[in-house]
Amino acid sequence: MKNQFITSKSRCRLKLAVTLGAMLAVLPVASAKNPDHVLWYDHPASKWTEALPVGNGRMGAMIYGGIKSENIQLNEESLWGGMPVESNADASSTLPEIQRLLLEGQIDKAKELSERSLKSNPMRIRPYQTFGNLLLDFWGPHTPSVKGSSYRRELDMENGLACVSYRIGNVTYTRELFVSAPDDVLALRIRADQPGALTFRLQYTRQQDATAYPLDKNTLAIEGQVFDLPEEDMCAPGLHERFAGLVRGKHKGGKMTVRSNAFYVEGADETVFYFTAATDYNFSKLDFDSSIDPMQRCKDLLEAIDEKCYDTIRKRHMEEHASLFNRVSFHLGEAPDLPIDQRLARVKKGETDLPLIVTYFQYGRYLLMNSSRSPGILPANLQGIWNQDIYPVWSSDFHTNINIQMNYWPAEVCNLPETVLPFSRFINALRKPGRVTARKTFNSKGWTLNHLTDPYGHTSISDGVGWGTFPIAGAWLALHLWEHYRFTEDKKYLCEEAYPCMAEAAEFLLHFLVKDKKGHWVTAPSNSPENHYRLNGKNYNLTYGATMDIEIIHELFDACLEAGRIVPSDMSFNRRLEAVRKQLPPIRISTRYGTIQEWIEDYEEAEPGHRHISHLFGLYPGTQITPTNKQLFEAARKTIERRRYYNENEANRNGSYTGWSRAWMINFYARLLDGEEAGKNVNLLLQKNTADNLFNLHPPFQIDGNFGGTAGIAEMLIQSHLKEIQLLPALPPQWKDGEVKGLCARPGIETDMVWKEGTLRSATFRSKTDRKVTISYKGHKKTIRLKAGENKQIIF
């Protein structure tokens, strides 16, 4: 097999390839749509998980594409119920006793005392809410009351455009919608190719807390205020956050009037509507703010585009959107010319559609860049930014025991580092309320939070003591800031944003950890997220020193020590980290099953097929379980095999039965260098956990599975967590021929690859700075020099 690195005999060929690459890099991109980047359908959506999403990081919309009636469901990232509440339990005096009881194995007493003293008040948060809907109803001489011919509904991911077209009689109708980041507006254009063919009503609706009225002859105003009803374990009821929106209409031909909550258009040739929304949420305060006028914010945004034509706004949007999306290309063959839902149905029947995997991968990138970037200020939540409900499942919150972290797994490797910045800033904003939780509940310095949060800085234990006690969450979140530095090498960011957050999270741990009977530093109380163990015939979740905790602490302390060699740091603090790290418990292998032990003791599992696989954090996204330790590496494999256990006669379920858990499996198998199993789980993700619009289903819809699936596919193609760039480390045998461009490796090296018959043929690298890097492929390693801004190609 010819897989050697380039030699001196190949230098001329390399020089030519580099020159041609540079020439091709400046050629204009073809205007034809890439089939891998388009979701299209031959019928309207009948439900929300068939509708198509657009967004700009701050606002989102779901488009159904109806003929007689159209539904455009709207979101604004900061529209939440609730309010800031300092709900921390003051457990500083009882915590030592809880810890003593846990360490002595008196779990029942520890649980009883924890229930009395660790419970926050209130225990739950209010939800993220829909902004409402724009509904279109068409009638008149060309009323589309029957199924239109040549119907097509599509989402062009590359340009961020959702389009609907159909023909009725001799008239072709088209609708186009996008949400612009440069101009921060939603734009909707409705056209007919015959004059006077457009007669319709566009109205705003929301089931509660909002009204709409004419502001002027072409503008509809929306004003609302969240009224939180009395609910058990929730914050005080009452009028809370205020919100507003504006819809401005323009038309060619016919006439337009505004009445009550609607526009009425008669006999028009074309109409254009611009929508924007705002709330009085103040991120700097993690609170809503009476000094903010959300209606004025909307007026300012529409005034800024008043002199711009639709085509100008559209062009600005497309250029900006494509500049992010087109950083990565991926190809696994020619896509069949069939609607996405039909292709997905075939996959669910067992057929192979490799290009659909490419579309799913790019869809994850598309969703991330449209739910987490400027002009948005908040990170992607459990549904990204898209939510149709006032009371969504799990409040569509920021879940911090796996879900929000998974949202950002693909960001760096998939060349979208901008999407991390709202997440990074939010994590830093949580440090202030997190210090109160650290001090009052855990009797510690530093900062932390538990298993969920909201835009108001909720950091206390929520939803129940056993379920919600997760004081390691702050450390896990802080690691994402370190990863952003590892990919970008932005020392200013490391110094000003990342390291202070990381160090303060580590400071919390130094004060929170206690010594167990074996002399190890452990967390107490602790749990392995949402799972239970069996002891003396009972199920428990509270424990001390859960394996995931120890793995996260190892990663954070290592990161702090490495960062401390790059930016100014306290040497005494570093010595404390070193000393405690040496006395953390080791990752243990269960004597029962040969798997990675999930708890500090080798307890019996209450649910072997549990959806969380937290004790494999050290495999992914961590870096402690690697091929260099063969025992742990094989134990990790056995852990996955056992987690996927299923017995129809018992309550246990397959450990990847939820969408996000299946996505985690892909990443695990990629780190295990098992391309065949990783590929099987990609197919299973499509077969079992994917809606017709490619939204991931928990079920119901949860966007983390989309993001985790995209990250897993990237991890199959490139890995760089071991200080070398591994090429095609887990390529499935079915992916025989392919190419990918623009994936990123630590530290920010863009990589292109081409493979044929399962063998890598060439790889090209680009770096922003001069550096040496080690490249690895199938056990062969080579150190190469990269020059800033130049392409370096290796032939295999």
Side-chain angles (χ1 to χ4, degrees):
M1 181 178 62
K2 295 181 179 179
N3 60 354
Q4 299 301 311
F5 291 93
I6 192 165
T7 66
S8 58
K9 295 180 181 179
S10 304
R11 286 174 185 165
C12 291
R13 182 169 48 172
L14 171 58
K15 184 176 182 180
L16 177 61
V18 171
T19 303
L20 287 172
M23 291 172 63
L24 290 171
V26 299
L27 293 176
V29 177
S31 59
K33 294 177 184 176
N34 183 334
D36 292 335
H37 298 167
V38 177
L39 280 66
W40 74 273
Y41 305 81
D42 61 6
H43 59 87
S46 62
K47 55 185 178 181
W48 193 78
T49 50
E50 295 175 1
L52 295 173
V54 292
N56 72 346
R58 189 179 75 84
M59 294 187 296
M62 297 287 288
I63 304 94
Y64 284 65
I67 299 175
K68 183 175 177 58
S69 299
E70 169 67 290
N71 183 7
I72 301 170
Q73 185 266 313
L74 306 168
N75 286 107
E76 200 280 344
E77 63 169 350
S78 62
L79 181 48
W80 285 67
M83 59 188 292
V85 180
E86 206 282 85
S87 59
N88 290 286
D90 191 349
S92 57
S93 61
T94 55
L95 183 68
E97 179 63 7
I98 293 171
Q99 292 173 328
R100 183 188 69 81
L101 292 170
L102 287 170
L103 294 174
E104 292 180 358
Q106 300 184 57
I107 311 300
D108 283 315
K109 291 183 178 179
K111 178 182 176 182
E112 181 183 353
L113 183 56
S114 296
E115 289 289 338
R116 291 203 311 267
S117 61
L118 293 180
K119 272 190 175 180
S120 57
N121 183 26
M123 284 285 287
R124 300 177 62 206
I125 64 168
R126 303 276 186 174
Y128 175 56
Q129 298 187 2
T130 178
F131 192 91
N133 299 73
L134 294 177
L135 304 178
L136 291 119
D137 296 293
F138 293 88
W139 67 87
H142 301 289
T143 300
S145 58
V146 296
K147 184 177 181 181
S149 61
S150 303
Y151 180 93
R152 183 179 175 97
R153 174 171 61 100
E154 72 171 34
L155 175 64
D156 177 355
M157 295 189 289
E158 183 174 334
N159 294 304
L161 299 174
C163 304
V164 179
S165 64
Y166 51 87
R167 187 172 182 83
I168 296 179
N170 64 345
V171 182
T172 297
Y173 298 88
T174 59
R175 295 197 293 275
E176 180 179 76
L177 186 143
F178 61 87
V179 188
S180 166
D183 291 304
D184 204 5
V185 295
L186 179 152
L188 167 66
R189 181 170 65 184
I190 306 171
R191 278 177 162 178
D193 67 353
Q194 300 292 328
L198 290 176
T199 297
F200 63 90
R201 174 183 63 189
L202 182 149
Q203 62 175 324
Y204 168 80
T205 66
R206 192 176 193 266
Q207 66 188 72
Q208 64 185 56
D209 301 341
T211 58
Y213 58 90
L215 187 66
D216 56 44
K217 64 180 181 180
N218 65 349
T219 308
L220 186 71
I222 301 161
E223 289 192 286
Q225 187 168 14
V226 174
F227 188 90
D228 286 321
L229 297 171
E231 292 187 62
E232 186 178 0
D233 290 330
M234 295 283 195
C235 70
L239 289 167
H240 294 147
E241 187 180 73
R242 293 176 296 129
F243 59 95
L246 287 177
V247 186
R248 183 161 294 164
K250 298 181 179 181
H251 66 102
K252 292 180 182 179
K255 68 175 184 177
M256 175 185 290
T257 57
V258 187
R259 295 284 186 275
S260 184
N261 68 333
F263 290 86
Y264 295 87
V265 176
E266 299 177 59
D269 310 332
E270 176 182 315
T271 59
V272 173
F273 295 94
Y274 298 107
F275 165 79
T276 196
T279 73
D280 65 353
Y281 177 72
N282 187 331
F283 178 76
S284 65
K285 295 181 177 181
L286 297 180
D287 196 357
F288 40 85
D289 186 343
S290 61
S291 70
I292 294 173
D293 183 349
M295 180 59 75
Q296 189 58 50
R297 284 185 167 183
C298 294
K299 290 177 180 178
D300 292 344
L301 287 168
L302 289 191
E303 183 179 345
I305 65 165
D306 204 41
E307 301 300 319
K308 297 177 183 176
C309 69
Y310 177 87
D311 287 339
T312 297
I313 295 169
R314 181 181 187 269
K315 182 181 179 182
R316 280 164 51 83
H317 160 72
M318 290 174 61
E319 288 177 348
E320 190 271 348
H321 192 280
S323 70
L324 274 69
F325 185 88
N326 285 338
R327 291 175 185 169
V328 174
S329 66
F330 183 25
H331 191 63
L332 286 177
E334 298 304 315
D337 188 21
L338 289 171
I340 286 289
D341 56 332
Q342 293 182 26
R343 292 170 62 188
L344 183 64
R346 290 183 173 192
V347 170
K348 290 184 177 183
K349 292 178 181 178
E351 295 187 23
T352 298
D353 188 338
L354 296 183
L356 186 59
I357 293 170
V358 173
T359 300
Y360 189 89
F361 167 84
Q362 292 286 24
Y363 191 54
R365 295 182 66 248
Y366 169 87
L367 294 173
L368 183 57
M369 62 179 274
N370 287 303
S371 61
S372 181
R373 67 182 176 106
S374 179
I377 56 173
L378 290 172
N381 60 47
L382 276 177
Q383 294 180 242
I385 199 173
W386 299 278
N387 164 41
Q388 66 174 331
D389 300 312
I390 301 290
Y391 298 100
V393 177
W394 301 295
S395 300
S396 193
D397 64 23
F398 302 115
H399 235 66
T400 58
N401 65 7
I402 179 62
N403 311 95
I404 196 170
Q405 292 91 336
M406 185 177 285
N407 284 1
Y408 289 90
W409 287 353
E412 309 287 1
V413 67
C414 291
N415 215 334
L416 293 172
E418 300 92 337
T419 63
V420 177
L421 297 180
F423 186 36
S424 173
R425 291 165 188 156
F426 184 61
I427 293 168
N428 268 295
L430 291 174
R431 287 163 62 191
K432 183 177 180 180
R435 291 174 191 132
V436 181
T437 297
R439 174 176 53 83
K440 291 189 68 174
T441 303
F442 298 112
N443 198 26
S444 300
K445 295 183 179 180
W447 79 279
T448 196
L449 73 162
N450 288 273
H451 92 294
L452 62 80
T453 187
D454 64 7
Y456 306 119
H458 184 94
T459 56
S460 60
I461 295 170
S462 302
D463 292 352
V465 169
W467 183 280
T469 303
F470 191 59
I472 205 73
W476 191 353
L477 293 181
L479 282 168
H480 279 263
L481 280 62
W482 173 240
E483 280 297 286
H484 186 67
Y485 169 75
R486 291 185 72 195
F487 275 90
T488 64
E489 291 197 328
D490 184 340
K491 290 185 180 179
K492 185 174 185 292
Y493 171 83
L494 179 64
C495 187
E496 296 178 1
E497 288 195 48
Y499 183 71
C501 179
M502 294 159 55
E504 193 175 0
E507 182 74 16
F508 165 77
L509 293 168
L510 290 175
H511 287 83
F512 176 60
L513 293 170
V514 295
K515 280 272 185 85
D516 69 5
K517 294 179 179 179
K518 298 177 181 178
H520 293 128
W521 289 107
V522 294
T523 51
S526 168
N527 72 31
S528 194
E530 303 182 22
N531 203 0
H532 295 76
Y533 61 92
R534 289 189 64 78
L535 181 64
N536 299 326
K538 296 181 180 179
N539 289 354
Y540 299 97
N541 43 25
L542 277 185
T543 184
Y544 70 94
T547 298
M548 179 188 233
D549 288 8
I550 306 307
E551 292 170 332
I552 290 174
I553 293 168
H554 262 292
E555 294 285 339
L556 181 63
F557 283 11
D558 285 348
C560 286
L561 289 166
E562 188 172 346
R565 291 189 284 270
I566 301 168
V567 300
S569 62
D570 183 337
M571 295 306 296
S572 63
F573 174 69
N574 294 340
R575 286 192 292 270
R576 288 165 61 206
L577 291 178
E578 287 271 19
V580 172
R581 184 183 60 171
K582 291 177 181 178
Q583 296 182 58
L584 292 171
I587 299 174
R588 296 182 171 94
I589 297 175
S590 167
T591 57
R592 294 172 182 266
Y593 307 108
T595 58
I596 299 294
Q597 198 169 291
E598 186 164 1
W599 291 276
I600 193 74
E601 303 291 345
D602 197 5
Y603 297 128
E604 180 62 70
E605 297 167 309
E607 186 182 345
H610 195 267
R611 61 195 175 276
H612 283 260
I613 316 149
S614 304
H615 45 315
L616 291 191
F617 175 93
L619 178 64
Y620 185 93
T623 61
Q624 296 156 71
I625 300 175
T626 70
T628 58
N629 188 323
K630 293 182 179 180
Q631 285 186 318
L632 288 182
F633 201 63
E634 288 307 309
R637 186 184 301 275
K638 290 180 180 178
T639 303
I640 295 173
E641 292 169 356
R642 178 165 173 78
R643 211 54 152 197
R644 294 176 65 185
Y645 162 94
Y646 178 78
N647 187 330
E648 292 182 353
N649 297 320
E650 297 183 21
N652 296 318
R653 290 182 284 184
N654 175 319
S656 47
Y657 63 92
T658 67
W660 59 265
S661 184
R662 176 75 65 188
W664 204 356
M665 285 287 185
I666 299 168
N667 288 275
F668 286 147
Y669 278 120
R671 284 284 175 92
L672 288 171
L673 311 179
D674 190 336
E676 185 169 1
E677 284 298 329
K680 286 180 181 178
N681 277 272
V682 172
N683 290 333
L684 288 169
L685 187 65
L686 291 171
Q687 291 170 356
K688 297 180 178 294
N689 302 102
T690 300
D692 281 351
N693 68 353
L694 300 190
F695 271 175
N696 182 264
L697 300 175
H698 180 286
F701 166 55
Q702 242 180 247
I703 206 165
D704 42 20
N706 284 103
F707 296 143
T710 291
I713 293 167
E715 200 73 14
M716 295 159 69
L717 300 173
I718 191 168
Q719 296 180 21
S720 58
H721 58 291
L722 299 178
K723 298 186 178 180
E724 63 182 32
I725 301 176
Q726 295 175 274
L727 305 178
L728 304 184
L731 186 71
Q734 296 84 0
W735 299 11
K736 291 182 179 180
D737 303 326
E739 63 177 313
V740 65
K741 297 180 180 180
L743 291 180
C744 288
R746 302 167 184 86
I749 298 170
E750 288 193 16
T751 307
D752 307 338
M753 289 177 281
V754 177
W755 63 95
K756 299 288 185 182
E757 294 298 323
T759 299
L760 185 63
R761 296 298 175 85
S762 68
T764 304
F765 306 93
R766 293 175 295 280
S767 174
K768 294 179 181 178
T769 60
D770 292 354
R771 66 172 66 253
K772 289 182 181 180
V773 294
T774 299
I775 310 300
S776 173
Y777 175 62
K778 290 189 174 180
H780 297 271
K781 297 185 181 183
K782 180 77 171 182
T783 299
I784 62 173
R785 290 181 178 271
L786 301 178
K787 290 187 177 181
E790 292 187 4
N791 286 349
K792 177 91 170 186
Q793 189 181 53
I794 297 177
I795 307 298
F796 291 84

